[in-house]
Amino acid sequence: MAEAERIIGTPDTPEAAASGPEQGEAGRPRGRRRIAVLFAVAAFAYVLDLVSKLMVVARLEHHAPIEIAGDWLKFEAIRNAGAAFGFGEAFTVIFTLIAAAVIVVIARLARKLYSLPWAIALGLLLGGALGNLTDRIFRSPGVFEGAVVDFIAPKHFAVFNLADSAIVCGGILIVLLSFRGLDPDGTVHKD
């Protein structure tokens, strides 16, 4: 456990205490590296989502679905004005505001970030939120009312996109980190 705490940058380890809570190896600030990881993960998730949606709109929209694994998994272009499972299509503006609020909260939390796993989790959330927010702002029917492009269609499940996947993976990672007692600032609660 001590080795894991040293790797994730827990301030209460002897190595962290010797170099100060904001210093890593060679005296470089750990927080800046974690912030860089957060934004690199977010940029990767966002670009991957954006490129996939551009390809889906250009090549799959108004065409027959493409079967990937028989009828168990296919790519099918769907415009979703609501949230997950098409829920709340009348509340598109509210979902847009929620996504914007998530982005602001993550940006504010980044200043106190000293945990690599939290940087990855928040980066996934940020990239996914930006991906779906881009659709809400720039896609028809209008600004803040745009429909999200979904295309991954497993059998007997909702159609989703890569931004949704990033959000879910980031959320699961946050829950796991919370159960482990790891805070974004790198402290570990030993209850």
Side-chain angles (χ1 to χ4, degrees):
M1 180 72 162
E3 180 65 15
E5 290 173 348
R6 186 188 65 74
I7 291 170
I8 60 176
T10 307
D12 54 77
T13 61
E15 295 86 0
S19 61
E22 296 191 23
Q23 298 295 314
E25 309 82 46
R28 290 187 300 250
R30 280 192 336 221
R32 288 189 189 143
R33 285 187 282 158
R34 301 310 189 252
I35 292 171
V37 168
L38 183 152
F39 288 116
V41 169
F44 179 75
Y46 176 72
V47 168
L48 198 59
D49 178 65
L50 184 63
V51 169
S52 69
K53 288 175 180 174
L54 290 172
M55 289 174 53
V56 164
V57 169
R59 299 184 180 186
L60 191 57
E61 200 166 49
H62 308 297
H63 291 81
I66 299 172
E67 290 186 356
I68 304 301
D71 65 343
W72 288 97
L73 178 65
K74 59 186 174 180
F75 289 161
E76 178 178 14
I78 304 283
R79 297 290 181 120
N80 181 3
F85 307 103
F87 171 75
E89 290 188 10
F91 302 106
T92 305
V93 174
I94 293 171
F95 296 135
T96 304
L97 295 174
I98 290 170
V102 166
I103 292 166
V104 169
V105 168
I106 292 171
R108 290 182 53 90
L109 185 59
R111 295 179 294 139
K112 299 176 184 178
L113 187 63
Y114 293 101
S115 166
L116 181 61
W118 271 94
I120 293 168
L122 292 174
L124 288 169
L125 281 178
L126 181 60
L130 284 170
N132 284 340
L133 183 61
T134 299
D135 282 359
R136 300 270 185 216
I137 293 173
F138 296 109
R139 295 204 188 271
S140 63
V143 176
F144 301 118
E145 297 178 354
V148 173
V149 175
D150 289 334
F151 62 93
I152 303 169
K155 186 175 185 177
H156 305 301
F157 195 72
V159 181
F160 58 95
N161 59 43
L162 295 180
D164 298 334
S165 298
I167 291 168
V168 168
C169 290
I172 290 170
L173 185 53
I174 286 171
V175 169
L176 292 174
L177 292 171
S178 297
F179 278 129
R180 300 276 311 181
L182 180 63
D183 287 341
D185 67 0
T187 57
V188 177
H189 299 281
K190 298 173 183 168
D191 315 298

